[in-house]
Amino acid sequence: MIDTNELAKQVSATGRRSGGRDARRALRAAPVTSFPTLVRNIPVYELLPDEAVELIHEESLKILEEVGCEFRDDEAIAMWKQAGATVKGTRVHIDRALLLSLIAKVPSEFTLNARNPERTVRVGGKNSIFVPMYGAPYVRDLDGNRRYGSLEDLNNFHKLAYMQPVLHSSSSIICEPMEIPVPKRHLHIIHSALKHSDKPFMGIVTSKERAEDVMKMAGIVFGNDYVKNNTVVVSITNCNSPLVWDATMLDAMKVYARHNQPLILAPFALCGASTSASALGAVAQVNAEALAGVAFTQLIRPGSPQIYGQFMVTVDMKTGAPMGGTPEAAQMMYVMGALARKYKLPWRTSGFHVGSKINDAQAGYEANMLMHAAILSGANYIWHVAGWLEAGLACGYSKFMTDCEQLGGWYRYAGGLPFADFKDAMAAIREVGPAGHFLGTKHTLEQFDKAFFMPSIMDFNSFEQWQAEGSKDHDTRGREKARAMLANYEEPKLDEGIAEGLRDFIAKREEELPNSVS
């Protein structure tokens, strides 16, 4: 059993201002630790009664039976016809019996394997994992400036993801390496994730060929036989709301599901624009879209692990801009969580997907609204939890670090209250009695450094001490922490034969691929 309090103690200790060459040497020498899979030990919050969840479920089934869902791919259409669905052109009407029989084939939990077995995690049930953001073309850099992302930035974010104990995955496209031609970019993204971190990673879904390249690179690292029988990569596919699964997403779905690798089947819903202007109406539609995607994966490979998902943000009805941390976004998470439990499916939501442009008070308010719902709704794959700014257009170095510090608090919150030292705490009350203090008791001396969450970036010092240390705001302290952590990074080396195999594969594919999209 891993002592998570001890892990938290280590993280807190590395963040303090110990300073000096000896401290930096000790930090470099210390092994990189990872929090194990979060096993939630608090109740989920049921926002709606069971009969309301059942009503939404019924309406979702009616949408798929009566309205149907588009599958814009000839092979997918043929597969649905063979399965017995009613097909009119690219519109598929899925009978509820067929739908429910297919989603029942999905395992309720699965193991997500890392190249370092110590970083392997569990997804589903009471298990939750934290995964950094994905897809930002811009970064908010170490000087606080907004600019296009680069391969160096991507490498840095993968390094930070590796070093942050509370992150369970390195994601993949944390930011786009914009200087690399699009047809070749996926090779460098996946190489960076595999080289700079030994945690689980995410795949690429922008074409069938790129998905196949991801699986070949995974085979080089893990071994082809291992990949055939074990889950090593999670990939995202988005339904185009309303009710369209397009050819690109379906191609990626077919590649990964055939390799027994899980997909997140997540409609991308701008509520009020691509759904009705109703939180409950949006949930009924998104549920139908997600279930249709999950069901299709079971036509590809029955029993393959999959993740029921959603990305739902509301739209500012005055401007059309997406809004992140709103109460409706949180409420919809709770309902999607209840539906996922009904279907016994692992499910994904997002944690810190804020609209704020910088790491400011708005970012904090939005993030808290969303993460509280993500935890209490029982989400298993909690994505976009580090770095996200301006509706996903930017990844911030400071935001990445301050998000991770907050994740340490959420990890502790969701783990529940331990009773292990309760008897000793009661003894301390008897020892001190009225009008005394507890600072010198045996219990306090044993517990002082692990009794409570102790962040290192947030500042709780007096005004005078804060001023004496430079009057630094939260954003500045986050950027400083990122610089310090990157300065102490040590690569988790791949076997040289594997590293050479990856380099050779990338070189060969770069010769074959064009420099621009035709």
Side-chain angles (χ1 to χ4, degrees):
M1 178 66 68
I2 298 173
D3 187 341
T4 56
N5 284 326
E6 183 61 26
L7 286 174
K9 174 182 170 182
Q10 292 175 26
V11 176
S12 179
T14 59
R16 293 177 192 144
R17 298 184 187 86
S18 50
R21 185 177 302 165
D22 290 342
R24 290 192 294 274
R25 187 182 298 115
L27 180 58
R28 284 193 295 271
V32 172
T33 57
S34 286
F35 284 19
T37 305
L38 169 60
V39 180
R40 299 185 313 279
N41 198 30
I42 57 175
V44 294
Y45 179 65
E46 301 289 0
L47 185 69
L48 297 177
D50 291 346
E51 55 267 29
V53 174
E54 190 65 25
L55 174 63
I56 294 167
H57 161 73
E58 280 293 320
E59 290 302 319
S60 297
L61 298 184
K62 289 177 183 177
I63 289 170
L64 292 177
E65 288 175 329
E66 298 170 8
V67 180
C69 185
E70 294 270 328
F71 282 79
R72 295 180 177 174
D73 171 76
D74 290 343
E75 185 181 7
I77 289 298
M79 293 170 74
W80 277 118
K81 284 181 179 178
Q82 186 175 6
T86 301
V87 177
K88 300 174 183 177
T90 56
R91 183 82 62 92
V92 179
H93 297 261
I94 311 170
D95 173 82
R96 65 184 59 203
L98 173 60
L99 179 81
L100 296 175
S101 68
L102 289 169
I103 64 174
K105 299 178 187 295
V106 177
S108 59
E109 297 185 27
F110 64 89
T111 297
L112 177 56
N113 296 280
R115 70 173 174 92
N116 178 350
E118 293 181 4
R119 318 281 192 241
T120 292
V121 293
R122 191 81 179 154
V123 180
K126 295 192 73 173
N127 304 300
S128 295
I129 64 171
F130 295 143
V131 183
M133 76 163 294
Y134 181 106
Y138 297 97
V139 298
R140 181 70 64 170
D141 67 19
L142 288 166
D143 296 315
N145 298 316
R146 182 183 186 270
R147 57 171 174 76
Y148 277 128
S150 67
L151 183 58
E152 182 181 6
D153 291 309
L154 181 64
N155 295 164
N156 283 343
F157 284 123
H158 285 149
K159 293 173 183 178
L160 292 173
Y162 164 66
M163 296 181 77
Q164 285 288 358
V166 77
L167 291 177
H168 297 101
S169 165
S170 298
S171 188
S172 61
I173 319 171
I174 297 178
C175 72
E176 293 274 3
M178 299 293 283
E179 76 273 31
I180 298 176
V182 169
K184 303 176 180 182
R185 191 176 292 176
H186 65 290
L187 301 169
H188 297 274
I189 291 167
I190 299 303
H191 183 242
S192 177
L194 291 169
K195 171 184 168 68
H196 295 109
S197 174
D198 59 5
K199 294 181 179 180
F201 70 107
M202 296 188 71
I204 304 293
V205 297
T206 47
S207 76
K208 176 183 177 182
E209 292 74 19
R210 293 169 196 169
E212 289 171 340
D213 282 345
V214 171
M215 291 312 306
K216 290 172 183 174
M217 293 175 78
I220 292 169
V221 172
F222 291 88
N224 287 322
D225 289 340
Y226 186 87
V227 169
K228 287 177 184 177
N229 300 305
N230 297 277
T231 297
V232 301
V233 59
V234 173
S235 302
I236 174 67
T237 50
N238 291 125
C239 178
N240 291 329
S241 296
L243 297 164
V244 174
W245 284 100
D246 67 30
T248 300
M249 294 292 97
L250 293 168
D251 275 347
M253 225 184 275
K254 287 181 282 186
V255 171
Y256 290 115
R258 281 172 178 152
H259 283 88
N260 206 39
Q261 302 302 312
L263 295 133
I264 300 169
L265 292 310
F268 186 91
L270 301 174
C271 300
S274 61
T275 76
S276 60
S278 157
L280 291 175
V283 169
Q285 175 189 314
V286 166
N287 183 46
E289 294 166 338
L291 291 178
V294 172
F296 180 66
T297 66
Q298 301 308 294
L299 296 180
I300 301 166
R301 182 163 177 165
S304 58
Q306 306 298 338
I307 302 173
Y308 167 90
Q310 59 89 15
F311 184 87
M312 302 171 74
V313 294
T314 56
V315 167
D316 185 327
M317 303 306 285
K318 301 187 294 293
T319 67
M323 300 186 292
T326 63
E328 292 81 13
Q331 290 169 328
M332 290 186 288
M333 272 193 221
Y334 287 117
V335 183
M336 292 297 288
L339 289 162
R341 287 188 292 279
K342 175 180 175 62
Y343 307 129
K344 297 181 173 58
L345 293 173
W347 78 284
R348 165 261 169 152
T349 193
S350 302
F352 290 157
H353 55 296
V354 304
S356 185
K357 314 306 175 287
I358 58 175
N359 193 14
D360 60 1
Q362 179 183 327
Y365 295 146
E366 290 187 77
N368 184 66
M369 174 72 76
L370 297 166
M371 183 56 80
H372 217 139
I375 293 292
L376 291 181
S377 62
N380 305 115
Y381 194 99
I382 307 180
W383 197 12
H384 301 321
V385 297
W388 183 289
L389 288 169
E390 57 175 296
L393 289 175
C395 183
Y397 279 86
S398 173
K399 181 73 162 34
F400 199 98
M401 302 305 291
T402 60
D403 282 346
C404 287
E405 180 168 273
Q406 290 304 301
L407 289 175
W410 285 111
Y411 190 100
R412 191 167 181 130
Y413 177 88
L417 284 169
F419 273 78
D421 69 321
F422 186 66
K423 184 177 178 180
D424 293 336
M426 295 302 97
I429 295 173
R430 288 165 173 80
E431 177 186 343
V432 171
H437 69 76
F438 290 79
L439 296 176
T441 66
K442 179 176 181 291
H443 178 258
T444 299
L445 293 174
E446 290 175 347
Q447 298 290 324
F448 79 95
D449 56 351
K450 57 188 177 183
F452 309 115
F453 176 59
M454 293 190 294
S456 62
I457 302 175
M458 296 175 74
D459 190 300
F460 297 97
N461 292 322
S462 68
F463 175 82
E464 290 77 16
Q465 186 172 348
W466 172 76
Q467 191 174 50
E469 293 176 352
S471 306
K472 296 172 184 175
D473 62 16
H474 196 56
D475 184 62
T476 301
R477 292 194 299 274
R479 286 187 278 114
E480 287 182 349
K481 184 70 176 285
R483 278 198 183 92
M485 188 167 275
L486 287 169
N488 288 297
Y489 171 78
E490 289 190 358
E491 184 179 316
K493 295 287 188 181
L494 287 159
D495 174 85
E496 184 50 41
I498 291 173
E500 183 178 358
L502 285 173
R503 290 192 295 267
D504 290 348
F505 177 80
I506 292 168
K508 179 175 180 293
R509 289 295 287 140
E510 285 201 307
E511 288 181 2
E512 296 168 347
L513 293 168
N515 282 320
S516 61
V517 179
S518 59

